[in-house]
Amino acid sequence: MDTRPVDQILKKYNYEQSSIIGILQDLQEKENYLPENALEYISERLSMPLTRIYRIATFYNAFSLKPRGKYPINVCLGTACHVRGAAMVLDRIKMHLGIEVGEMTEDRLFSLETVNCLGSCALGPVIVIGNEYHGKMTPAKVSSTIDQYRKDL
Amino acid sequence: MIKFTIDGFEVEGEEGQNVLQVALDNGFDIPHLCFHEALESYGACRLCLVEITQGKKTSLTTSCNYPVLAGISVRTDTEKVTRARRMVIELMLARCPDVTAIRELAEKYSVGTPRFSLDNDDCILCGLCERVCREVVGVEAISFLGRGSGRKVGPPLEINPKTCIACGACVYVCPTNCIKIEENEKERTIVRWSRTLPLKTCKVCNRTFAPWFQLEYFKNITEGIPKDFWEKCPDCR
Amino acid sequence: MKKIKTVKDLEKVREEILVSRDPDKPCITICSGTGCRAFGCEKVTQGFRDALTKHGLENSIDIRTTGCHGFCEKGPVVVINPQRIFYQGVTHDDTMQIVSDTLLKNKIIDRLLYTNPRTGEKIIKEDDVPFYKGQMRLIFGNNGKIDPAIIEDYIAIGGYTSLCRVLTELSSSEVIDIIKESGLRGRGGGGFPAGVKWESCRNAHGTKHYVVCNADEGDPGAYMDRSLLEGNPHSVLEGMIIGAYAIGSDEGYIYVRNEYPLAVKNVGIAIDQLRKYGILGENILNSGFSFDIKVSRGGGAFVCGESTALMASLEGQAGEPRAKHIHTVERGLWDKPTNLNNVETWANVPLIINKGADWYRNIGTEKSKGTKIFSLVGKVNNTGLVEVPMGITIREIVYDIGGGIPEGRKFKAVQTGGPSGGCIPESLLDLPVDFDRLTEVGSMMGSGGMIVMDENTCMVDIAKYFLNFLKEESCGKCTTCRDGIRRMYEILDAITKGEGKEGDIELLEELSWVVSEASLCALGQTAPNPVMSTIRYFRDEYEAHINEKKCPAGVCRALISYIIDEEKCTGCGQCLKVCPSDAVSGEKKMPHRIDPEKCIRCGACIASCKFDAINVV
């Protein structure tokens, strides 16, 4: 394992144990998930029990212990989006991709997560694919919106 | 000494004690499952709820982590306390219908069949196992994982905690007996964590007695003990 | 940027900035909050830049990208200054025309103006738009005037004058007295008097005190704090510096939830600039007072909005709340006295210091002073962020400012306080909005989320939605919260699936009692609110689900059917095309039919039907 990227992150946070959440976020941004060997390395360098790191990694929604798809899909389930039919959009996505929340498609292109409010309520229902926001979603628009990412390959 | 009352009786506690401790010492029967004298109070199970009046305010609160304070009035048997207690037991019973300790509580406090669908769980997430492992044994092999309705206790990635020394402390403190330990001549397993460690053979009597890994751990954290000590079982030392 | 050494020097800098700026110089202001970004405002900005370059006008016309203007429904929003011309729904393709027509020829582009749906009138100026007219934008109004990445913009509108006054004229106890006198109550949900909190923290034992800004804003549907931090971070920072001075703190934290990257970025830029100017750091403006702020990101956990859980998270632990009989003002972050306030609370501080406690007390009701920013979302025409004086009625917010319910539907309820709050029905539309009145009717102010619901919203489904949210967000420590909420959810789920039974409502009420009485923290203690308030005001809907197995609002899928009205159906086949489960059959130009066995009630057919021929029964 190339430890240099992790070392950089640890240095940025001054090797402070209390910054573990920030450290894990930077790691996740870099690797798209939290790899086991990276966590073991962090545990060593911070003198922080690995158990504690997993406690934190599993407590907070931001972290994934499994690799996520190239285009993570985040469906907003905030109240405003819910009231405008977000649940039906989510169901349609599950059907279209054949995966449940927390899973990834076999071609590793898409993974599905839900988030409780992105704060873009005027656009609800909102889904985010990768970093792009897609507002005013309806079940009918789901397949074309997602499939355009396949074409971008 | 700090003087206060429980159910109208005058009791005394020391600075740093909690209400539950003093109550139990004085023979008051407050149910509790996540409290242990040797460990930090946690307040998770909610069974030890009592009503405490401090000054003008009365609140329903857990007694295991409420500090003894002069002049407080503690009630263990009000209608509110009883109602809350019985519902907590009902929730636990629905979660763990086969656990002896909970069935006994249900009988004692007249809690019938739960009005909820029955789960098949055996752990009430009291946290005693992870607390004893962290605070007393010091290896911090297991912890809480996840949160909310999906919360559980276990090692990282839920299998084979790498720092576990198979000492059995977690087995000992667990109130629901859901952590099993198994041993044969070759190895010891803490079943719930899927942790199996090979056992060391005593130099003298040739029987196995403790995991290698555990002995190495203790050897590393102690000083001034002759090397010989670790080669013999307790009977032969 | 040179370090500013004294208060007098800051005043000089302010003068210099004002002198160098021509208030009449044309300026194109583009709302660039997260909402408008999602609408594509960055392309709009680029469009303007290109258009100005094309006309050679880069030096004679300014472009200012600001934070959220509040009228999110009409984004991307562009305001042309100094005339205050308000353009809505602006796209990249409009930018050239706006420059050549409005900026060069003073010609208004009608199609981009806001049209009052009731009168048909086209409104030109931002302040005349009914959405804004009904508001009192004391705090939020500044968003439209400043680029959050340019501290000079904030200084130009009077920023840091309060801090200067505090550092030169007021002692720390005088500052606390002013905040107490003003009646400012916490805007995060607790509504606790801020001045009293500051005083308790200052008087607590020990020399190390912390100030914390709670920017976790976990209530789904609420995004006021995000927009304040994104659009006017300095207002919050100035408040924190003043608070730190009053409390005797030298170290502050802003805890921003993970899902707000732009807020994190903008507040970081602002802090950097403050440090360069010497308004954060050692010996601020030669006052002897030192203070610095760090930004910390949350990890994605609603419970971390609770103050003890937030502090645990700041310390690098899981966000588990702690018993509250030890107050955080005595022992909080790292066991030291800590004063935690919400973003909006901090943003009110410079305003109060500037205008005085008496002026502030004139706004609002007897026990709830000042204004509150609400996120008005859901089934409402004018979705956005609104700032109104306490005491305004719900009717005024939803109808006068919000423009009423879309598609002429009927108002059913407004949900306030997020998952800790409750629903307020039509009969209470004239309820004045303030902390205590909302609590009296079974809801609460919360952080300011205001979700409007119409006749097509099922209140049982709403209760179930909130419980589903809470059962995942609970930290899981307490038996009552963790298992109690789950069991309540199970009962509600069964009810929405037609499996409800006699006694379910009573069981829900009993569970609500124990969850609220026996749980450790506010998440558990308020979790039953959405259930209790919907039972209180919409019991008939519960009974319809349980006894008649019907969902009057037409939402709960197990209890409804989709039926094609043969008289209206033209046989166009659209619904057949979009149906994911092959439930629709029919010949071309002949009325189609939905097979109830295959239909999953996903809504795709209804969305695609142009003839309104599919009914929910």
Side-chain angles (χ1 to χ4, degrees):
Chain A
M1 180 188 117
D2 181 8
T3 60
R4 278 170 307 174
V6 187
D7 283 324
Q8 255 181 348
I9 296 173
L10 291 172
K11 195 158 173 224
K12 172 180 166 190
Y13 289 94
N14 276 323
Y15 294 88
E16 268 170 19
Q17 285 192 357
S18 61
S19 300
I20 184 67
I21 295 175
I23 292 169
L24 293 180
Q25 275 163 333
D26 282 10
L27 177 64
Q28 167 118 350
E29 259 167 56
K30 225 175 178 307
E31 302 292 326
N32 200 19
Y33 76 112
L34 298 179
E36 196 181 334
N37 52 8
L39 295 182
E40 282 169 355
Y41 180 71
I42 291 175
S43 161
E44 225 182 291
R45 300 289 280 136
L46 288 183
S47 302
M48 192 170 175
L50 187 65
T51 314
R52 215 178 289 174
I53 295 181
Y54 271 91
R55 166 89 177 99
I56 290 168
T58 56
F59 182 89
Y60 293 101
N61 275 349
F63 305 125
S64 180
L65 294 176
K66 291 186 289 187
R68 300 183 306 161
K70 179 165 184 210
Y71 300 111
I73 301 178
N74 248 303
V75 179
C76 180
L77 291 184
T79 318
C81 287
H82 175 83
V83 145
R84 289 186 185 183
M88 304 216 270
V89 170
L90 177 63
D91 278 350
R92 190 62 119 100
I93 296 177
K94 283 190 207 172
M95 239 196 293
H96 184 68
L97 293 176
I99 55 177
E100 287 297 320
V101 175
E103 290 179 2
M104 181 169 60
T105 53
E106 273 196 35
D107 57 8
R108 304 175 80 93
L109 263 186
F110 302 106
S111 52
L112 185 57
E113 293 295 330
T114 60
V115 67
N116 286 319
C117 196
L118 290 162
S120 300
C121 310
L123 283 164
V126 178
I127 68 172
V128 185
I129 305 183
N131 277 326
E132 290 178 342
Y133 281 62
H134 299 272
K136 312 248 186 206
M137 275 315 280
T138 65
K141 285 197 215 166
V142 164
S143 28
S144 52
T145 308
I146 292 180
D147 288 343
Q148 77 188 359
Y149 286 84
R150 290 191 205 276
K151 296 193 195 129
D152 285 346
L153 293 172
Chain B
M1 293 301 275
I2 299 175
K3 291 196 175 61
F4 62 104
T5 64
I6 303 181
D7 291 344
F9 288 97
E10 282 216 359
V11 292
E12 275 184 359
E14 283 172 18
E15 176 89 35
Q17 279 193 307
N18 58 64
V19 169
L20 179 64
Q21 259 172 319
V22 178
L24 294 174
D25 287 343
N26 280 274
F28 289 94
D29 193 6
I30 302 178
H32 55 280
L33 281 177
C34 77
F35 173 74
H36 193 289
E37 267 187 339
L39 303 170
E40 281 275 331
S41 293
Y42 191 46
C45 72
R46 315 312 282 175
L47 278 169
C48 69
L49 291 167
V50 292
E51 281 200 81
I52 300 189
T53 307
Q54 186 180 357
K56 291 192 211 142
K57 224 173 139 219
T58 301
S59 51
L60 184 67
T61 178
T62 44
S63 48
C64 64
N65 54 12
Y66 201 96
V68 298
L69 295 167
I72 57 176
S73 155
V74 179
R75 297 228 51 126
T76 71
D77 56 358
T78 63
E79 202 188 303
K80 212 173 186 183
V81 170
T82 313
R83 184 179 173 193
R85 193 182 282 165
R86 294 180 69 233
M87 284 226 68
V88 173
I89 294 173
E90 185 180 355
L91 284 169
M92 281 186 178
L93 190 59
R95 187 191 177 93
C96 307
D98 290 327
V99 168
T100 313
I102 299 174
R103 288 164 79 125
E104 284 173 359
L105 278 173
E107 215 190 292
K108 182 165 179 188
Y109 292 98
S110 314
V111 175
T113 317
R115 294 165 287 179
F116 321 113
S117 59
L118 297 181
D119 289 340
N120 201 5
D121 216 321
D122 50 6
C123 168
I124 54 166
L125 296 171
C126 66
L128 282 169
C129 53
E130 77 92 24
R131 289 204 305 289
V132 76
C133 190
R134 183 167 36 87
E135 292 173 28
V136 174
V137 181
V139 298
E140 207 162 337
I142 51 175
S143 72
F144 284 111
L145 298 169
R147 65 164 196 243
S149 57
R151 177 160 150 129
K152 44 176 111 122
V153 182
L157 295 175
E158 301 192 55
I159 191 163
N160 191 13
K162 302 217 179 112
T163 57
C164 170
I165 57 172
C167 64
C170 55
V171 180
Y172 180 72
V173 295
C174 175
T176 63
N177 287 320
C178 69
I179 309 175
K180 306 282 184 227
I181 185 169
E182 278 170 10
E183 193 167 308
N184 57 36
E185 304 95 56
K186 280 197 291 182
E187 56 196 19
R188 177 185 295 174
T189 303
I190 310 289
V191 179
R192 198 177 181 91
W193 320 130
S194 306
R195 176 66 161 172
T196 302
L197 290 175
L199 296 169
K200 187 167 181 154
T201 312
C202 172
K203 249 190 167 156
V204 176
C205 66
N206 263 314
R207 282 177 305 182
T208 53
F209 64 104
W212 280 91
F213 190 71
Q214 183 185 122
L215 294 165
E216 286 302 309
Y217 172 74
F218 285 130
K219 204 199 289 187
N220 279 331
I221 63 169
T222 49
E223 270 177 20
I225 297 186
K227 226 177 117 194
D228 214 38
F229 179 86
W230 307 105
E231 308 296 318
K232 301 183 198 159
C233 73
D235 293 332
C236 300
R237 281 176 190 154
Chain C
M1 280 177 86
K2 246 181 25 184
K3 189 156 179 182
I4 301 178
K5 297 215 180 107
T6 64
V7 166
K8 277 215 168 84
D9 288 341
L10 176 52
E11 292 307 320
K12 273 205 216 122
V13 168
R14 191 192 315 280
E15 272 172 46
E16 282 164 19
I17 294 171
L18 288 171
V19 155
S20 71
R21 290 177 177 207
D22 176 7
D24 292 324
K25 185 179 182 189
C27 177
I28 306 170
T29 308
I30 304 145
C31 174
S32 308
T34 300
C36 280
R37 274 174 202 238
F39 266 131
C41 70
E42 283 167 303
K43 289 204 191 113
V44 172
T45 306
Q46 192 55 50
F48 278 121
R49 288 199 208 283
D50 293 340
L52 289 185
T53 311
K54 184 159 183 246
H55 287 275
L57 294 165
E58 310 96 304
N59 290 324
S60 34
I61 298 181
D62 283 337
I63 289 183
R64 178 176 285 136
T65 54
T66 69
C68 177
H69 286 220
F71 202 172
C72 307
E73 185 68 36
K74 303 297 182 186
V77 160
V78 170
V79 178
I80 309 290
N81 286 309
Q83 310 97 305
R84 316 279 299 136
I85 300 169
F86 181 83
Y87 283 147
Q88 60 177 35
V90 176
T91 65
H92 174 271
D93 294 340
D94 298 318
T95 53
M96 198 58 90
Q97 191 187 358
I98 294 176
V99 170
S100 54
D101 283 6
T102 310
L103 281 140
L104 288 177
K105 298 186 202 149
N106 256 323
K107 220 172 114 194
I108 308 281
I109 304 171
D110 270 5
R111 64 182 174 81
L112 291 175
L113 288 177
Y114 175 79
T115 312
N116 187 332
R118 270 186 267 176
T119 64
E121 186 194 351
K122 290 213 178 263
I123 315 271
I124 299 176
K125 291 195 177 183
E126 187 181 39
D127 304 320
D128 294 330
V129 174
F131 176 77
Y132 291 116
K133 225 171 167 179
Q135 299 185 40
M136 187 185 266
R137 306 178 75 222
L138 303 173
I139 310 271
F140 208 63
N142 284 335
N143 267 31
K145 301 179 193 163
I146 62 181
D147 180 331
I150 301 178
I151 185 175
E152 289 79 9
D153 281 3
Y154 184 70
I155 294 176
I157 60 166
Y160 294 108
T161 47
S162 295
L163 178 62
C164 289
R165 177 169 172 230
V166 162
L167 292 178
T168 52
E169 294 169 28
L170 300 171
S171 69
S172 50
S173 32
E174 281 168 330
V175 175
I176 292 184
D177 283 341
I178 295 175
I179 301 297
K180 276 171 80 176
E181 201 28 55
S182 74
L184 175 67
R185 287 170 72 170
R187 296 293 195 257
F192 191 83
V196 174
K197 199 188 244 186
W198 288 20
E199 193 172 54
S200 312
C201 186
R202 200 189 56 158
N203 294 340
H205 282 309
T207 48
K208 183 74 175 179
H209 293 61
Y210 291 106
V211 295
V212 175
C213 173
N214 184 344
D216 193 59
E217 196 167 55
D219 284 0
Y223 59 105
M224 309 70 64
D225 292 349
R226 188 200 73 201
S227 303
L228 261 178
L229 271 185
E230 281 176 4
N232 194 353
H234 285 286
S235 63
V236 179
L237 293 169
E238 187 177 0
M240 283 179 79
I241 303 173
I242 293 173
Y245 173 85
I247 290 165
S249 161
D250 65 350
E251 205 174 324
Y253 287 87
I254 304 183
Y255 183 89
V256 188
R257 70 186 282 235
N258 182 49
E259 294 84 340
Y260 287 174
L262 186 58
V264 171
K265 180 173 169 212
N266 288 357
V267 83
I269 292 173
I271 290 176
D272 259 344
Q273 294 181 341
L274 283 177
R275 286 190 187 135
K276 289 206 177 88
Y277 263 152
I279 304 179
L280 268 181
E282 295 288 318
N283 193 14
I284 295 173
L285 300 176
N286 204 32
S287 61
F289 163 61
S290 306
F291 178 62
D292 208 340
I293 299 178
K294 282 199 210 138
V295 178
S296 202
R297 282 161 67 193
F302 170 75
V303 69
C304 287
E306 196 275 344
S307 46
T308 58
L310 189 156
M311 292 181 201
S313 188
L314 268 175
E315 292 175 9
Q317 297 169 43
E320 261 183 37
R322 213 192 54 193
K324 293 292 269 270
H325 48 253
I326 309 157
H327 297 295
T328 48
V329 287
E330 307 264 341
R331 289 169 56 191
L333 199 52
W334 287 295
D335 256 0
K336 303 279 189 288
T338 305
N339 181 81
L340 178 141
N341 278 122
N342 165 269
V343 169
E344 195 181 336
T345 314
W346 287 119
N348 269 274
V349 170
L351 179 74
I352 294 171
I353 299 287
N354 241 330
K355 302 277 196 143
D358 282 337
W359 174 90
Y360 195 76
R361 285 190 74 77
N362 273 326
I363 305 164
T365 65
E366 198 202 318
K367 296 218 186 117
S368 304
K369 299 295 180 192
T371 60
K372 177 79 188 82
I373 307 176
F374 289 100
S375 67
L376 188 63
V377 294
K379 302 293 188 75
V380 70
N381 273 317
N382 298 335
T383 307
L385 296 175
V386 307
E387 184 177 351
V388 291
M390 299 275 197
I392 193 174
T393 65
I394 296 183
R395 189 188 297 278
E396 285 170 276
I397 298 177
V398 173
Y399 287 96
D400 297 344
I401 297 174
I405 318 295
E407 298 180 43
R409 298 219 173 95
K410 205 167 168 292
F411 174 91
K412 188 162 185 183
V414 82
Q415 207 274 344
T416 67
S420 307
C423 294
I424 297 167
E426 193 191 355
S427 54
L428 293 173
L429 265 175
D430 293 304
L431 184 76
V433 169
D434 82 2
F435 286 104
D436 306 303
R437 302 302 297 269
L438 286 171
T439 311
E440 273 163 34
V441 301
S443 181
M444 62 186 263
M445 177 84 70
S447 62
M450 204 175 252
I451 319 230
V452 184
M453 300 168 181
D454 67 12
E455 66 214 42
N456 289 344
T457 312
C458 171
M459 302 317 279
V460 184
D461 175 72
I462 289 293
K464 175 177 128 175
Y465 162 85
F466 279 120
L467 286 181
N468 186 36
F469 174 84
L470 288 165
K471 83 170 159 63
E472 301 309 317
E473 295 293 342
S474 159
C475 78
K477 174 169 164 174
C478 304
T479 306
T480 46
C481 173
R482 180 189 68 237
D483 287 326
I485 293 177
R486 177 166 63 102
R487 298 309 187 169
M488 287 175 76
Y489 171 79
E490 283 171 5
I491 297 171
L492 280 165
D493 191 38
I495 293 176
T496 58
K497 291 192 169 124
E499 294 158 20
K501 43 189 196 299
E502 177 94 30
D504 272 350
I505 295 183
E506 289 71 23
L507 188 52
L508 280 172
E509 287 171 336
E510 232 191 297
L511 276 170
S512 296
W513 182 87
V514 77
V515 173
S516 66
E517 288 288 331
S519 300
L520 170 65
C521 80
L523 188 153
Q525 289 159 4
T526 59
N529 286 356
V531 181
M532 286 295 97
S533 89
T534 48
I535 291 179
R536 177 172 172 177
Y537 297 113
F538 299 98
R539 199 185 182 103
D540 52 327
E541 268 191 72
Y542 278 84
E543 285 171 352
H545 283 70
I546 295 171
N547 300 333
E548 297 157 52
K549 312 296 184 210
K550 277 199 156 76
C551 175
V555 171
C556 298
R557 282 184 239 181
L559 306 180
I560 55 174
S561 335
Y562 286 179
I563 299 189
I564 295 182
D565 183 343
E566 304 206 337
E567 313 237 319
K568 289 189 181 169
C569 176
T570 63
C572 70
Q574 273 303 308
C575 54
L576 203 153
K577 254 202 248 173
V578 299
C579 177
S581 51
D582 284 329
V584 186
S585 56
E587 301 289 314
K588 242 193 184 146
K589 305 240 172 123
M590 298 290 288
H592 281 39
R593 212 189 137 259
I594 296 177
D595 180 352
E597 301 283 306
K598 291 190 181 167
C599 173
I600 57 167
R601 272 86 74 203
C602 73
C605 55
I606 296 183
S608 70
C609 180
K610 295 190 178 61
F611 304 97
D612 207 20
I614 307 178
N615 294 325
V616 179
V617 165

